[in-house]
Amino acid sequence: MSGLQTVVEYLSIFISIISIAVVVYGTAAAFVSFMCNEAGRARGRFNRERLRELRVDLGSYILLSLELLIASDILKTISEPGLTELYILGGIVVLRTVLSVFLNREISEIEQSRRELERTGQSPDGSVE
């Protein structure tokens, strides 16, 4: 194994670890925000729109993580070319594309809802301004 191949493998592992950290951080942030929103339910300040935003935020972290995994798998495929690595890379690219389509649709719906609320003079929590 050459020195460059070793460096590429270590770089691939490092990027994979960063990808895991991004998912863990995004999940923790979404969980904290979810719990705060649920605590508002007891005080009568529950915001259903905030749940949609949480899903979009978490989806963004997952997409970033998948993009990092794609980069990592590209490096693995370069250092160890083989069908298994290509199948894994292809699967991750397909998964990322599908998630991206649905996330972008969700973001568009949230933006459209916000514009409609602003046009009618309501705030996102349903109160009239």
Side-chain angles (χ1 to χ4, degrees), residues 7-21 68-69 72 75-76:
V7 170
V8 169
E9 286 179 16
Y10 282 125
L11 189 57
S12 173
I13 292 168
F14 179 71
I15 292 172
S16 294
I17 291 170
I18 292 173
S19 173
I20 292 168
L68 290 168
L69 281 176
S72 172
L75 291 174
K76 283 181 190 172

Side-chain angles (χ1 to χ4, degrees), residues 29-80:
F31 178 74
V32 167
S33 190
F34 171 77
M35 293 308 291
C36 289
N37 194 46
E38 286 299 311
R41 186 185 297 260
R43 295 183 300 248
R45 293 191 328 230
F46 178 75
N47 188 343
R48 186 165 300 170
E49 187 66 25
R50 182 66 190 133
L51 286 177
R52 291 182 74 193
E53 292 173 5
L54 277 168
R55 287 178 47 212
V56 169
D57 289 345
L58 180 59
S60 297
Y61 282 108
I62 291 170
L63 281 175
L64 176 59
S65 177
L66 285 172
E67 288 175 3
L68 290 168
L69 281 176
I70 290 170
S72 172
D73 284 336
I74 288 171
L75 291 174
K76 283 181 190 172
T77 303
I78 289 170
S79 67
E80 300 173 17

Side-chain angles (χ1 to χ4, degrees), residues 1-2 33 39 46 89 124:
M1 182 183 304
S2 73
S33 190
F46 178 75
L89 180 60

Side-chain angles (χ1 to χ4, degrees), residues 65-126:
S65 177
L66 285 172
E67 288 175 3
L68 290 168
L69 281 176
I70 290 170
S72 172
D73 284 336
I74 288 171
L75 291 174
K76 283 181 190 172
T77 303
I78 289 170
S79 67
E80 300 173 17
L83 284 179
T84 304
E85 287 76 19
L86 287 175
Y87 291 147
I88 291 171
L89 180 60
I92 290 174
V93 169
V94 167
L95 179 63
R96 188 236 175 263
T97 303
V98 169
L99 282 174
S100 181
V101 166
F102 287 110
L103 181 65
N104 285 332
R105 182 183 304 163
E106 188 81 21
I107 289 170
S108 297
E109 290 174 5
I110 288 173
E111 288 300 318
Q112 183 179 6
S113 295
R114 281 185 186 157
R115 282 192 297 265
E116 289 175 11
L117 288 173
E118 288 173 1
R119 193 180 71 233
T120 61
Q122 293 180 346
S123 65
D125 63 359

